[in-house]
Amino acid sequence: MSKKTKKKKFDLSLLRKVFTYVKPYRLQFISSLLLAIILAIFTPIRPYLIQLTIDKAISKTGSIPTWLHIFISGDNLNDVTRFIVSVTVFQIIFLLIETLTRFTFTFLTSWLGQAVVKDLRVNVFNKISHLHLRQFDRTPIGTLTTRTINDIESINDIFSDGFIPIIADLLSIIFTLATMFFLNWKLTLISLIPFPILILATYYFKETVNKSYKRVRNAIAALNAFVQEHISGMAIVQAFAAEDRERKKFDIINKQHRDANISAIFAYSVFFPVVEIILALSLGILIWYIADRKIDAGLLVSFILYLNQIFRPLRVIADKFNVLQMGMIAAERVFTVLENQDILPPSKPDAYNPSTVAGRVHFDKVSFAYNSTHYVLKNINFKIEEGETVAIVGHTGSGKTSIISLLNRLYEIQEGEILIDDVNIKSYNLDTLRSNIGVVLQDVFLFSGTILDNITLRNPAITEAEVIETSKMIGVHDFIMQLPNGYHFNVMERGNSLSLGQRQLISFIRALLYNPSILVLDEATSSIDSESEMLVQKAIDKLISGRTSIVIAHRLSTIRKAHKIIVLDKGEIKEIGNHQELLEKNGFYAKLHQMQFAEEQISA
């Protein structure tokens, strides 16, 4: 089988996937196809009526079709004046009906496209929200944004400007050609002599524009990824005076986008004049052929109109086919996301779903790698009893944060097992598991919206009164009330209107409000000032009271009260014990403590 055949089959398969989203809208889809057929039937009628009117006005004779007698009954159609007036009135009414039908067809196809796009976009977002986190490690955010917005919007064109409109145009051409052959097959063949040239020009135009549009889509994805990344990291760009260097990189990507568009524009600039020339050539051949032959004037005029009705859709049908192709390319990218199987499998109906979780944690011979070659955790073994506070320390890159990611199944382990209350976490209902593990990260992410929205995550089951009560419990209420509008203060994108310490405090309220059985604090005080740290430390004391807590700490001074300290280095556990025991061992932890104490003395 040739590559070309394979590509065709693939496209048809992809089109079938797109049309599975049309099933809920079968009525609208069938209606649009019926309207396309009706419009195609309407197409040759007006030129034929003009032909009859001219012939009647000139020769005063000519047969009147039976169907016209049905629509214009009661008038003496043999009278020239009555005939012309009646047919003119009929044409005006017919034109209004045709216009209304065309409006309905255009609106219905566009509505259908938007309905499919809505459903697709929801499915894509839902899919993205369930992907394994490693997918976000590998894929730029701008690329996923393009898939969710730009590419899905292009799928709308399959319906509004692609598949159904192409069918409508092809049917119009077929009905027009059939009418021409019925009226005079010789004249039809003569006038279509230049037609092969048009087909050849259309093919080259389609191929050229298709290649250009592919380049345009790739350039758009690259632009989105670049802009998204650099807007997020603008503080770094400006801090290192890299504006000019990054602008030059952007300029290169932008030029690629421009060049791809210009290539498509050039193809349009050549193709449309070529179509006009071929149309003129057809008309010239037609006039030349009838120069020395007796042809009714009405037939000549109708054939000129018919040729325009054939060439007009052919001018745009190649463009519509490219729109269809671009929609298919976009659909291929979108379905690549939808068919991505790198997700956590949904919880089984019989998944373990306890009403309460005590909070005992057991890592049993756990090994984990983000890729198959480099293990970041190797044979990790430790237990945490209910209500214990355990600290995890180690150099940057030792695997501390990876342990948190594994505990709530953001990543899957390669070896060993993780148990909570002596049950493998893979057996838990995923929602139950994660709702019982509260995580406060070092880099707190806040969404655009109010403080209240960010604390409740827009969960309607949580009232403002409950939020206020929780805030007072950990001593954060006064800080929030000092802000404009209090709990309704807009934190802006990523919480940029708040300090790091303030964002941290909001995340504490959020964690406590959901009342998790296991609390994880990931270096919660490592990057805030001393004043904020005192407030944060008080909040932490409230948070960890009476619940199993895992504290990842950079400052060793903050974990002296921990029941147990786990020392990690290069993905392996070096020591386990409390603060005093580890100092007395004079091992890895003692060296870390000495180094940090020396750094604090120097900075002081």
Side-chain angles (χ1 to χ4, degrees):
M1 183 179 289
S2 67
K3 288 184 179 179
K4 189 174 181 181
T5 308
K6 285 183 180 179
K7 184 178 179 182
K8 186 177 180 182
K9 285 185 72 176
F10 175 75
D11 284 346
L12 289 173
S13 172
L14 196 59
L15 194 61
R16 282 195 293 270
K17 289 179 184 178
V18 173
F19 272 82
T20 57
Y21 284 84
V22 179
K23 288 181 180 179
Y25 313 104
R26 288 190 191 92
L27 178 63
Q28 290 83 353
F29 178 68
I30 293 170
S31 299
S32 64
L33 289 179
L34 289 174
L35 288 173
I37 295 170
I38 292 169
L39 287 170
I41 296 171
F42 282 175
T43 302
I45 291 178
R46 280 192 290 130
Y48 181 63
L49 291 174
I50 292 171
Q51 173 188 339
L52 293 177
T53 305
I54 293 172
D55 287 343
K56 190 74 173 179
I58 293 175
S59 63
K60 316 295 183 186
T61 59
S63 61
I64 301 168
T66 305
W67 62 267
L68 195 58
H69 278 288
I70 296 172
F71 286 103
I72 313 177
S73 59
D75 285 335
N76 181 12
L77 296 182
N78 291 319
D79 180 78
V80 175
T81 304
R82 283 180 176 274
F83 178 86
I84 293 173
V85 171
S86 297
V87 171
T88 301
V89 171
F90 175 77
Q91 284 202 68
I92 292 171
I93 295 171
F94 177 77
L95 180 61
L96 291 173
I97 294 171
E98 184 182 12
T99 302
L100 181 62
T101 305
R102 195 168 296 280
F103 162 78
T104 307
F105 172 75
T106 303
F107 177 80
L108 200 56
T109 53
S110 297
W111 183 94
L112 184 63
Q114 289 298 330
V116 169
V117 161
K118 176 188 73 70
D119 294 345
L120 258 175
R121 191 167 280 138
V122 169
N123 283 2
V124 169
F125 184 81
N126 184 55
K127 184 74 174 190
I128 289 173
S129 65
H130 286 85
L131 286 175
H132 267 301
L133 281 188
R134 59 172 164 259
Q135 289 294 320
F136 301 97
D137 298 336
R138 301 168 184 167
T139 309
I141 293 174
T143 300
L144 289 174
T145 303
T146 301
R147 299 291 176 269
T148 312
I149 300 173
N150 301 66
D151 285 339
I152 291 182
E153 195 60 42
S154 294
I155 293 175
N156 168 57
D157 296 334
I158 292 177
F159 300 92
S160 60
D161 292 312
F163 183 75
I164 301 175
I166 286 174
I167 290 176
D169 288 339
L170 288 174
L171 287 173
S172 296
I173 292 170
I174 290 169
F175 274 93
T176 301
L177 283 172
T179 304
M180 291 172 70
F181 275 103
F182 174 77
L183 293 173
N184 192 316
W185 65 272
K186 288 184 179 179
L187 207 58
T188 302
L189 291 175
I190 291 295
S191 59
L192 293 179
I193 287 174
F195 209 69
I197 303 174
L198 177 62
I199 294 174
L200 191 64
T202 301
Y203 173 77
Y204 279 110
F205 167 74
K206 177 185 74 67
E207 290 299 309
T208 301
V209 173
N210 195 24
K211 290 176 183 176
S212 299
Y213 277 168
K214 283 182 181 179
R215 290 168 54 202
V216 169
R217 299 303 307 171
N218 290 333
I220 288 174
L223 280 171
N224 280 342
F226 188 92
V227 171
Q228 178 94 26
E229 184 179 56
H230 282 71
I231 288 177
S232 299
M234 190 54 67
I236 300 298
V237 172
Q238 293 182 357
F240 287 88
E243 293 93 337
D244 287 340
R245 290 194 301 275
E246 299 307 314
R247 180 192 58 77
K248 289 175 183 176
K249 292 178 186 176
F250 179 78
D251 194 38
I252 292 171
I253 301 173
N254 202 31
K255 282 179 179 177
Q256 291 171 350
H257 180 261
R258 180 205 61 188
D259 293 344
N261 274 298
I262 287 176
S263 177
I265 291 167
F266 179 78
Y268 280 98
S269 302
V270 172
F271 178 69
F272 288 132
V274 167
V275 174
E276 293 296 329
I277 291 171
I278 296 172
L279 174 59
L281 187 60
S282 291
L283 292 174
I285 293 173
L286 179 65
I287 300 297
W288 168 79
Y289 177 75
I290 66 171
D292 57 350
R293 290 173 175 81
K294 187 178 179 181
I295 298 290
D296 291 337
L299 183 63
L300 173 61
V301 171
S302 68
F303 260 69
I304 292 172
L305 293 174
Y306 287 139
L307 284 174
N308 274 284
Q309 284 184 333
I310 291 172
F311 278 81
R312 186 182 64 218
L314 279 173
R315 271 196 297 262
V316 296
I317 204 167
D319 187 33
K320 288 179 179 178
F321 188 80
N322 279 318
V323 168
L324 175 62
Q325 283 288 90
M326 290 312 301
M328 296 299 289
I329 292 169
E332 182 179 2
R333 293 174 173 176
V334 169
F335 280 101
T336 299
V337 175
L338 286 172
E339 292 168 0
N340 190 335
Q341 296 305 310
D342 191 14
I343 60 173
L344 284 173
S347 301
K348 297 178 181 178
D350 60 345
Y352 186 55
N353 190 19
S355 56
T356 59
V357 173
R360 295 187 304 276
V361 178
H362 182 195
F363 273 61
D364 185 19
K365 299 178 182 178
V366 171
S367 294
F368 167 70
Y370 289 101
N371 55 61
S372 57
T373 57
H374 180 63
Y375 275 77
V376 295
L377 293 175
K378 306 161 193 172
N379 196 31
I380 300 297
N381 288 280
F382 65 83
K383 288 184 179 180
I384 306 174
E385 297 301 326
E386 178 185 347
E388 270 192 339
T389 298
V390 172
I392 303 176
V393 301
H395 293 299
T396 301
S398 59
K400 302 187 297 295
T401 302
S402 297
I403 287 177
I404 297 173
S405 300
L406 299 181
L407 185 61
N408 53 15
R409 290 192 68 194
L410 295 178
Y411 295 90
E412 292 292 294
I413 60 176
Q414 281 79 16
E415 297 175 19
E417 60 179 352
I418 302 171
L419 302 99
I420 294 179
D421 294 351
D422 304 319
V423 177
N424 193 310
I425 60 172
K426 292 182 179 179
S427 301
Y428 274 81
N429 176 287
L430 192 59
D431 289 343
T432 301
L433 174 71
R434 290 179 175 172
S435 64
N436 278 282
I437 301 173
V439 180
V440 179
L441 300 174
Q442 176 185 3
D443 183 17
V444 179
F445 187 95
L446 297 182
F447 296 94
S448 298
T450 65
I451 288 178
L452 185 65
D453 290 337
N454 274 280
I455 292 172
T456 63
L457 296 178
R458 295 185 173 89
N459 185 344
I462 301 173
T463 65
E464 186 172 349
E466 290 175 310
V467 173
I468 293 172
E469 183 183 351
T470 306
S471 302
K472 288 179 178 179
M473 188 185 303
I474 59 174
V476 181
H477 176 72
D478 292 340
F479 132 69
I480 293 176
M481 293 308 296
Q482 289 173 2
L483 298 171
N485 299 321
Y487 287 88
H488 298 279
F489 174 71
N490 194 324
V491 301
M492 308 298 288
E493 186 177 4
R494 298 181 66 88
N496 287 332
S497 57
L498 298 175
S499 69
L500 182 59
Q502 290 171 329
R503 297 201 296 271
Q504 200 69 267
L505 290 169
I506 289 172
S507 71
F508 288 153
I509 305 170
R510 184 163 60 193
L512 186 59
L513 194 62
Y514 279 82
N515 194 29
S517 301
I518 301 169
L519 182 68
V520 180
L521 303 177
D522 184 2
E523 305 201 45
T525 63
S526 64
S527 302
I528 56 179
D529 58 80
S530 300
E531 185 178 348
S532 297
E533 183 180 353
M534 290 177 63
L535 192 58
V536 168
Q537 195 59 54
K538 288 181 182 178
I540 289 174
D541 293 339
K542 289 278 187 180
L543 280 170
I544 65 177
S545 177
R547 73 183 83 236
T548 304
S549 303
I550 301 174
V551 181
I552 292 178
H554 176 71
R555 299 178 185 176
L556 301 185
S557 58
T558 62
I559 58 168
R560 291 176 179 175
K561 297 178 182 178
H563 297 95
K564 191 185 300 178
I565 298 172
I566 299 170
V567 184
L568 282 178
D569 183 54
K570 297 178 182 177
E572 297 179 330
I573 293 179
K574 295 297 182 181
E575 296 172 334
I576 297 180
N578 61 39
H579 176 71
Q580 194 59 40
E581 289 172 349
L582 293 178
L583 285 180
E584 289 174 359
K585 281 185 179 180
N586 199 29
F588 204 88
Y589 178 80
K591 289 179 182 177
L592 281 175
H593 189 269
Q594 289 170 6
M595 287 171 58
Q596 195 168 108
F597 181 76
E599 289 172 2
E600 290 174 357
Q601 287 288 97
I602 292 171
S603 61

